[in-house]
PDB file of all heavy atoms in Angstrom:
ATOM      1  N   ARG A  65     -13.455  76.171 -29.149  1.00 90.00           N
ATOM      2  CA  ARG A  65     -14.233  74.975 -28.790  1.00 90.00           C
ATOM      3  C   ARG A  65     -15.030  74.501 -29.998  1.00 90.00           C
ATOM      4  O   ARG A  65     -15.463  75.319 -30.803  1.00 90.00           O
ATOM      5  CB  ARG A  65     -15.200  75.290 -27.653  1.00 90.00           C
ATOM      6  CG  ARG A  65     -14.486  75.769 -26.420  1.00 90.00           C
ATOM      7  CD  ARG A  65     -15.465  76.042 -25.297  1.00 90.00           C
ATOM      8  NE  ARG A  65     -14.924  77.084 -24.421  1.00 90.00           N
ATOM      9  CZ  ARG A  65     -15.497  77.474 -23.295  1.00 90.00           C
ATOM     10  NH1 ARG A  65     -16.616  76.944 -22.897  1.00 90.00           N
ATOM     11  NH2 ARG A  65     -14.952  78.420 -22.560  1.00 90.00           N
ATOM     12  N   GLN A  69     -20.637  72.459 -25.007  1.00 91.00           N
ATOM     13  CA  GLN A  69     -20.346  71.760 -23.745  1.00 91.00           C
ATOM     14  C   GLN A  69     -18.910  71.256 -23.665  1.00 91.00           C
ATOM     15  O   GLN A  69     -18.550  70.554 -22.729  1.00 91.00           O
ATOM     16  CB  GLN A  69     -21.280  70.556 -23.572  1.00 91.00           C
ATOM     17  CG  GLN A  69     -22.751  70.876 -23.575  1.00 91.00           C
ATOM     18  CD  GLN A  69     -23.357  70.852 -24.973  1.00 91.00           C
ATOM     19  OE1 GLN A  69     -22.660  70.917 -25.982  1.00 91.00           O
ATOM     20  NE2 GLN A  69     -24.666  70.771 -25.023  1.00 91.00           N
ATOM     21  N   PRO A  72     -13.034  73.665 -22.343  1.00 96.00           N
ATOM     22  CA  PRO A  72     -11.996  74.336 -23.130  1.00 96.00           C
ATOM     23  C   PRO A  72     -10.623  73.717 -22.888  1.00 96.00           C
ATOM     24  O   PRO A  72     -10.337  73.263 -21.781  1.00 96.00           O
ATOM     25  CB  PRO A  72     -12.043  75.782 -22.643  1.00 96.00           C
ATOM     26  CG  PRO A  72     -12.831  75.772 -21.387  1.00 96.00           C
ATOM     27  CD  PRO A  72     -13.719  74.582 -21.425  1.00 96.00           C
ATOM     28  N   LYS A 106     -12.430  82.909 -15.164  1.00 97.00           N
ATOM     29  CA  LYS A 106     -13.071  82.319 -13.983  1.00 97.00           C
ATOM     30  C   LYS A 106     -13.627  80.948 -14.360  1.00 97.00           C
ATOM     31  O   LYS A 106     -14.095  80.768 -15.489  1.00 97.00           O
ATOM     32  CB  LYS A 106     -14.258  83.177 -13.547  1.00 97.00           C
ATOM     33  CG  LYS A 106     -13.887  84.466 -12.887  1.00 97.00           C
ATOM     34  CD  LYS A 106     -15.176  85.105 -12.340  1.00 97.00           C
ATOM     35  CE  LYS A 106     -14.903  86.357 -11.562  1.00 97.00           C
ATOM     36  NZ  LYS A 106     -14.571  87.524 -12.401  1.00 97.00           N
ATOM     37  N   SER A 108     -16.506  78.325 -14.648  1.00 94.00           N
ATOM     38  CA  SER A 108     -17.887  78.736 -14.893  1.00 94.00           C
ATOM     39  C   SER A 108     -18.786  78.283 -13.743  1.00 94.00           C
ATOM     40  O   SER A 108     -18.407  77.443 -12.930  1.00 94.00           O
ATOM     41  CB  SER A 108     -18.393  78.198 -16.229  1.00 94.00           C
ATOM     42  OG  SER A 108     -18.611  76.826 -16.168  1.00 94.00           O
ATOM     43  N   THR A 110     -21.174  76.380 -13.641  1.00 96.00           N
ATOM     44  CA  THR A 110     -21.478  74.938 -13.617  1.00 96.00           C
ATOM     45  C   THR A 110     -20.531  74.197 -12.678  1.00 96.00           C
ATOM     46  O   THR A 110     -20.865  73.129 -12.196  1.00 96.00           O
ATOM     47  CB  THR A 110     -21.330  74.320 -15.021  1.00 96.00           C
ATOM     48  OG1 THR A 110     -19.987  74.545 -15.486  1.00 96.00           O
ATOM     49  CG2 THR A 110     -22.287  74.936 -16.012  1.00 96.00           C
ATOM     50  N   HIS A 111     -19.371  74.774 -12.410  1.00 98.00           N
ATOM     51  CA  HIS A 111     -18.377  74.100 -11.582  1.00 98.00           C
ATOM     52  C   HIS A 111     -18.704  74.135 -10.091  1.00 98.00           C
ATOM     53  O   HIS A 111     -17.993  73.571  -9.282  1.00 98.00           O
ATOM     54  CB  HIS A 111     -16.981  74.706 -11.823  1.00 98.00           C
ATOM     55  CG  HIS A 111     -16.439  74.384 -13.190  1.00 98.00           C
ATOM     56  ND1 HIS A 111     -17.218  74.374 -14.311  1.00 98.00           N
ATOM     57  CD2 HIS A 111     -15.194  74.029 -13.604  1.00 98.00           C
ATOM     58  CE1 HIS A 111     -16.484  74.042 -15.357  1.00 98.00           C
ATOM     59  NE2 HIS A 111     -15.256  73.825 -14.963  1.00 98.00           N
ATOM     60  N   ARG A 127     -15.985  68.628  -9.730  1.00 97.00           N
ATOM     61  CA  ARG A 127     -15.213  69.487 -10.642  1.00 97.00           C
ATOM     62  C   ARG A 127     -13.855  69.851 -10.051  1.00 97.00           C
ATOM     63  O   ARG A 127     -13.185  70.750 -10.536  1.00 97.00           O
ATOM     64  CB  ARG A 127     -15.993  70.783 -10.937  1.00 97.00           C
ATOM     65  CG  ARG A 127     -17.255  70.572 -11.755  1.00 97.00           C
ATOM     66  CD  ARG A 127     -16.908  70.304 -13.206  1.00 97.00           C
ATOM     67  NE  ARG A 127     -18.047  69.858 -13.977  1.00 97.00           N
ATOM     68  CZ  ARG A 127     -18.651  70.551 -14.914  1.00 97.00           C
ATOM     69  NH1 ARG A 127     -18.258  71.749 -15.202  1.00 97.00           N
ATOM     70  NH2 ARG A 127     -19.655  70.041 -15.583  1.00 97.00           N
ATOM     71  N   CYS A 130      -9.455  69.081 -12.096  1.00 98.00           N
ATOM     72  CA  CYS A 130      -9.605  69.772 -13.375  1.00 98.00           C
ATOM     73  C   CYS A 130      -9.163  68.926 -14.569  1.00 98.00           C
ATOM     74  O   CYS A 130      -9.783  68.974 -15.631  1.00 98.00           O
ATOM     75  CB  CYS A 130      -8.805  71.058 -13.357  1.00 98.00           C
ATOM     76  SG  CYS A 130      -8.876  71.938 -11.785  1.00 98.00           S
ATOM     77  N   CYS A 133     -11.144  66.583 -17.142  1.00 97.00           N
ATOM     78  CA  CYS A 133     -11.870  67.065 -18.317  1.00 97.00           C
ATOM     79  C   CYS A 133     -11.026  67.998 -19.188  1.00 97.00           C
ATOM     80  O   CYS A 133     -11.191  68.009 -20.400  1.00 97.00           O
ATOM     81  CB  CYS A 133     -13.122  67.817 -17.897  1.00 97.00           C
ATOM     82  SG  CYS A 133     -14.192  66.857 -16.803  1.00 97.00           S
ATOM     83  N   HIS A 134     -10.185  68.814 -18.580  1.00 97.00           N
ATOM     84  CA  HIS A 134      -9.405  69.780 -19.357  1.00 97.00           C
ATOM     85  C   HIS A 134      -8.036  69.195 -19.684  1.00 97.00           C
ATOM     86  O   HIS A 134      -7.369  68.655 -18.802  1.00 97.00           O
ATOM     87  CB  HIS A 134      -9.224  71.082 -18.567  1.00 97.00           C
ATOM     88  CG  HIS A 134     -10.529  71.773 -18.290  1.00 97.00           C
ATOM     89  ND1 HIS A 134     -11.158  72.564 -19.209  1.00 97.00           N
ATOM     90  CD2 HIS A 134     -11.333  71.764 -17.194  1.00 97.00           C
ATOM     91  CE1 HIS A 134     -12.279  73.029 -18.695  1.00 97.00           C
ATOM     92  NE2 HIS A 134     -12.408  72.554 -17.472  1.00 97.00           N
TER      93      HIS A 134
HETATM   94  C1  HEC B   2     -16.336  67.091 -15.132  1.00 65.43           C
HETATM   95  C2  HEC B   2     -15.569  67.864 -16.103  1.00 65.43           C
HETATM   96  C3  HEC B   2     -14.868  69.127 -15.645  1.00 65.43           C
HETATM   97  C4  HEC B   2     -14.039  69.305 -14.560  1.00 65.43           C
HETATM   98  C5  HEC B   2     -13.590  68.272 -13.543  1.00 65.43           C
HETATM   99  C6  HEC B   2     -13.608  70.676 -14.605  1.00 65.43           C
HETATM  100  N1  HEC B   2     -14.169  71.321 -15.689  1.00 65.43           N
HETATM  101 FE1  HEC B   2     -13.834  73.227 -16.265  1.00 65.43          FE
HETATM  102  N2  HEC B   2     -15.221  73.032 -17.743  1.00 65.43           N
HETATM  103  C7  HEC B   2     -15.863  71.858 -18.078  1.00 65.43           C
HETATM  104  C8  HEC B   2     -16.816  72.121 -19.157  1.00 65.43           C
HETATM  105  C9  HEC B   2     -17.715  71.085 -19.801  1.00 65.43           C
HETATM  106  C10 HEC B   2     -16.721  73.498 -19.456  1.00 65.43           C
HETATM  107  C11 HEC B   2     -17.501  74.286 -20.518  1.00 65.43           C
HETATM  108  C12 HEC B   2     -18.970  74.392 -20.168  1.00 65.43           C
HETATM  109  C13 HEC B   2     -19.147  75.026 -18.863  1.00 65.43           C
HETATM  110  O1  HEC B   2     -18.813  76.227 -18.725  1.00 65.43           O
HETATM  111  O2  HEC B   2     -19.595  74.344 -17.961  1.00 65.43           O
HETATM  112  C14 HEC B   2     -15.706  74.048 -18.559  1.00 65.43           C
HETATM  113  C15 HEC B   2     -15.301  75.369 -18.529  1.00 65.43           C
HETATM  114  C16 HEC B   2     -14.190  75.836 -17.835  1.00 65.43           C
HETATM  115  C17 HEC B   2     -13.597  77.175 -17.989  1.00 65.43           C
HETATM  116  C18 HEC B   2     -14.100  78.282 -18.910  1.00 65.43           C
HETATM  117  C19 HEC B   2     -15.192  79.043 -18.253  1.00 65.43           C
HETATM  118  C20 HEC B   2     -15.803  80.053 -19.152  1.00 65.43           C
HETATM  119  O3  HEC B   2     -16.668  80.780 -18.645  1.00 65.43           O
HETATM  120  O4  HEC B   2     -15.457  80.144 -20.332  1.00 65.43           O
HETATM  121  C21 HEC B   2     -12.535  77.219 -17.136  1.00 65.43           C
HETATM  122  C22 HEC B   2     -11.603  78.398 -16.927  1.00 65.43           C
HETATM  123  C23 HEC B   2     -12.475  75.949 -16.425  1.00 65.43           C
HETATM  124  N3  HEC B   2     -13.486  75.138 -16.870  1.00 65.43           N
HETATM  125  C24 HEC B   2     -11.531  75.636 -15.470  1.00 65.43           C
HETATM  126  C25 HEC B   2     -11.600  74.509 -14.671  1.00 65.43           C
HETATM  127  C26 HEC B   2     -10.773  74.304 -13.487  1.00 65.43           C
HETATM  128  C27 HEC B   2      -9.712  75.263 -12.992  1.00 65.43           C
HETATM  129  C28 HEC B   2     -11.148  73.095 -12.970  1.00 65.43           C
HETATM  130  C29 HEC B   2     -10.652  72.432 -11.700  1.00 65.43           C
HETATM  131  C30 HEC B   2     -10.867  73.182 -10.474  1.00 65.43           C
HETATM  132  C31 HEC B   2     -12.171  72.519 -13.849  1.00 65.43           C
HETATM  133  N4  HEC B   2     -12.433  73.429 -14.843  1.00 65.43           N
HETATM  134  C32 HEC B   2     -12.766  71.267 -13.677  1.00 65.43           C
HETATM  135  C33 HEC B   2     -15.667  70.634 -17.505  1.00 65.43           C
HETATM  136  C34 HEC B   2     -14.940  70.403 -16.352  1.00 65.43           C
END
Side-chain angles (χ1 to χ4, degrees):
R65 301 181 209 185
Q69 302 89 342
K106 287 188 176 75
S108 72
T110 58
H111 291 39
R127 292 285 169 110
C130 321
C133 306
H134 297 279

